[in-house]
Amino acid sequence: MADDLQIVKGTKEEQYETLLPQIKALLEGEPDLIANLANTCAALKEQFGWLWVGFYLVKKEELVLGPFQGPVACTRIKKGRGVCGTSWAEAKTLIVPDVEKFPGHIACSSLSRSEIVLPLFNNNIVVGVLDIDSEIRDQFDETDEKYLMEILSWVDLAVPLPG
């Protein structure tokens, strides 16, 4: 399937509509969480060309870096710290049009200008986050949230509870 990933141009919706079935096909029948998170990151980065796409997983009282695509990243993030830690603490999606205006933003890359972070759930407990950064301000919106939440619904239950 990896060789068959079709990158399309068009509206954001058209790009997601073409990409979603491809991601679903990558995930179906694959029980390994890390493989699924890695392929999800790769497909999103290939399609949209964002600066950074990756997962952080809850381990004890921190978010720990998981599979990602992009420049090196922060390895551990405390609950409530930065955009990722705040998304975890509040159990909600955060769309940040300008990261320089977000109180306590953690600058893993000086190139990042906007960000979206979505929590990953298992039994209504946040077990990780999907973090996406762009070099363009105001890159993300409700359209991204809608489609990314759908993708996360396919991997949510595969993510183990923190411990």
Side-chain angles (χ1 to χ4, degrees), residues 133-145:
D133 291 55
S134 173
E135 296 168 290
I136 301 167
R137 280 187 178 80
D138 204 22
Q139 176 75 60
F140 305 105
D141 57 25
E142 293 76 22
T143 299
D144 297 292
E145 180 179 14

Side-chain angles (χ1 to χ4, degrees), residues 31 40 57 88 144:
T40 298
L57 301 175
W88 172 26
D144 297 292

